[in-house]
């Protein structure tokens, strides 16, 4: 099956929702800092219905990025991330996600 980004659901009040990308088969997810900021508990729901509890392993509020480890995850389909060296001015880029619960969205742009 194809790769689908997990939906990150902070489990505290107020509830929030965001998306992220699995970047390692053992469940390491990159997401936005604002998705996990202040969360006491995280749950990730994959497109196939599986759910995992998540733990924040790193954040960078300045770049609005965060890393979350999914507990008990293994052998997950994951995204290969290109390096900055691979990107050039004028290259097309896409952002795929589930903003505000709207699943499977795509935004495009140019570096």
């Amino acid at each position: 099956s194809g790769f689908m980004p997990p939906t990150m659901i902070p489990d505290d009040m107020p509830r929030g929702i965001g998306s992220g990308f699995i970047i390692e088969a053992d469940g390491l997810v990159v997401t936005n800092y604002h998705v996990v900021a202040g969360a006491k508990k995280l749950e990730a729901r994959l497109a196939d219905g599986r759910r995992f509890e998540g733990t924040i392993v790193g954040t960078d509020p300045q770049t609005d990025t965060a890393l979350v480890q999914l507990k008990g995850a293994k052998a997950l389909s994951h995204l290969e991330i290109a390096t900055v060296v691979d990107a050039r001015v004028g290259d097309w880029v896409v952002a795929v996600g589930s903003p505000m619960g709207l699943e499977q969205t795509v935004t495009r742009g140019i570096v």
Side-chain angles (χ1 to χ4, degrees), residues 2 5 8 12 15 20 23 28 36 40-41 45-46 53 55 59 74 76-77 97 103 106 110:
M8 302 303 299
D12 60 352
R15 289 182 65 98
I23 60 171
L28 187 63
V36 301
K40 294 182 179 135
K41 185 176 179 184
R45 183 190 67 200
L46 305 187
E53 185 177 335
T55 302
T59 62
K74 60 184 175 184
L76 298 178
S77 294
E103 294 187 10
V106 177
I110 301 173

Side-chain angles (χ1 to χ4, degrees), residues 1-4 46-48 50 75-78:
S1 66
F3 171 80
M4 293 299 302
L46 305 187
D48 64 8
R50 288 182 290 168
L76 298 178
S77 294
H78 59 284

Side-chain angles (χ1 to χ4, degrees), residues 40-95:
K40 294 182 179 135
K41 185 176 179 184
L42 294 171
E43 179 182 272
R45 183 190 67 200
L46 305 187
D48 64 8
R50 288 182 290 168
R51 294 175 182 257
F52 294 92
E53 185 177 335
T55 302
I56 298 170
V57 294
T59 62
D60 184 3
Q62 190 170 21
T63 59
D64 194 29
T65 55
L67 290 174
V68 173
Q69 180 64 55
L70 304 182
K71 293 182 181 177
K74 60 184 175 184
L76 298 178
S77 294
H78 59 284
L79 179 70
E80 296 290 331
I81 296 181
T83 65
V84 175
V85 174
D86 296 331
R88 298 181 317 220
V89 172
D91 284 348
W92 284 90
V93 293
V94 295

